[in-house]
Amino acid sequence: NAGVTQTPKFQVLKTGQSMTLQCAQDMNHEYMSWYRQDPGMGLRLIHYSVGAGITDQGEVPNGYNVSRSTTEDFPLRLLSAAPSQTSVYFCASSPHRGSYNEQFFGPGTRLTVL
Amino acid sequence: GQQLNQSPQSMFIQEGEDVSMNCTSSSIFNTWLWYKQDPGEGPVLLIALYKAGELTSNGRLTAQFGITRKDSFLNISASIPSDVGIYFCAGQDGINAGKSTFGDGTTLTVKP
């Protein structure tokens, strides 16, 4: 199993550009999430999904869109990039096991918006 | 929203020393998790706690789920250089594993 994969690893955008961060998992996990990590801070939840076709907002959803058309993929779209979106983005997945709630994280995408 | 206060923010210790860090919350959690993040990587789960009062060990790591369900601590005994990294606590208030609240992390430096 490759686990959770994210592409690209690094990206530089200009203000106003749009792009999609890709996330895929091959563990057949129901739950997937997107977090951003800013220097000296923990991970803040952007959007999450409990299954194909179902998404919901997290703590910091503004400026981001998601969709979940398949179990495996959960792309994150930046609609019009702003310097405040410079961050490291992590995708995570977890199985639905009731009380067993371990999340598996991808290696991250480091995004700089100029 | 829910907030987790994690302390200390950073620690500089000598190899062989024991380490203790904790998290407190303004609200109750059903699950407490502790993760470690190495530089340039995503967090990896160390210990998961599911019951108030639970004490769980994983090698040199020990974590406890506070009785009030609003706090948790992590101890590392006899630290070694590879313990260097950022340690995060995370809380979950339901069975939706996609929705965790994370602390701001404790950065651990171990001097050989």
Side-chain angles (χ1 to χ4, degrees):
Chain A
N1 284 355
V4 179
T5 57
Q6 292 184 238
T7 56
K9 201 165 176 64
F10 300 94
Q11 183 69 50
V12 178
L13 292 178
K14 293 182 180 175
T15 296
Q17 286 185 314
S18 62
M19 80 157 294
T20 299
L21 278 62
Q22 302 292 344
C23 174
Q25 53 95 6
D26 61 0
M27 298 173 283
N28 202 32
H29 286 171
E30 291 89 346
Y31 298 156
M32 296 186 75
S33 309
W34 275 103
Y35 294 87
R36 61 176 288 173
Q37 183 179 29
D38 299 307
M41 296 182 69
L43 290 92
R44 290 185 291 170
L45 184 64
I46 304 172
H47 286 286
Y48 66 101
S49 169
V50 299
I54 306 170
T55 64
D56 205 349
Q57 295 182 349
E59 182 186 353
V60 289
N62 291 342
Y64 308 95
N65 273 357
V66 292
S67 60
R68 184 101 179 266
S69 56
T70 67
T71 300
E72 294 78 19
D73 300 299
F74 192 42
L76 178 73
R77 296 183 190 85
L78 278 70
L79 309 172
S80 177
S84 61
Q85 293 179 305
T86 294
S87 189
V88 182
Y89 291 84
F90 289 100
C91 178
S93 74
S94 54
H96 177 42
R97 294 181 187 161
S99 62
Y100 192 153
N101 292 327
E102 174 181 2
Q103 287 183 289
F104 295 81
F105 285 84
T109 293
R110 283 141 189 86
L111 176 68
T112 301
V113 182
L114 303 173
Chain B
Q2 295 164 328
Q3 284 192 323
L4 288 186
N5 295 310
Q6 186 171 350
S7 64
Q9 190 174 12
S10 61
M11 300 183 77
F12 295 83
I13 62 169
Q14 208 72 35
E15 183 177 359
E17 288 183 354
D18 297 343
V19 170
S20 185
M21 58 192 79
N22 67 84
C23 269
T24 58
S25 168
S26 57
S27 53
I28 288 171
F29 286 115
N30 290 340
T31 305
W32 281 97
L33 305 131
W34 285 92
Y35 290 84
K36 183 191 178 199
Q37 184 180 29
D38 291 325
E41 303 290 332
V44 174
L45 183 70
L46 298 173
I47 291 180
L49 303 156
Y50 303 110
K51 219 184 333 187
E54 180 181 357
L55 185 72
T56 297
S57 293
N58 178 7
R60 294 179 295 106
L61 277 61
T62 302
Q64 184 157 30
F65 191 146
I67 291 290
T68 64
R69 294 165 66 193
K70 290 185 178 182
D71 63 321
S72 177
F73 72 76
L74 174 71
N75 285 345
I76 305 173
S77 62
S79 59
I80 58 178
S82 62
D83 289 335
V84 164
I86 305 175
Y87 292 80
F88 291 102
C89 62
Q92 296 173 354
D93 59 6
I95 64 169
N96 180 358
K99 199 170 182 183
S100 297
T101 300
F102 281 79
D104 287 345
T106 295
T107 300
L108 179 63
T109 302
V110 179
K111 292 179 253 185

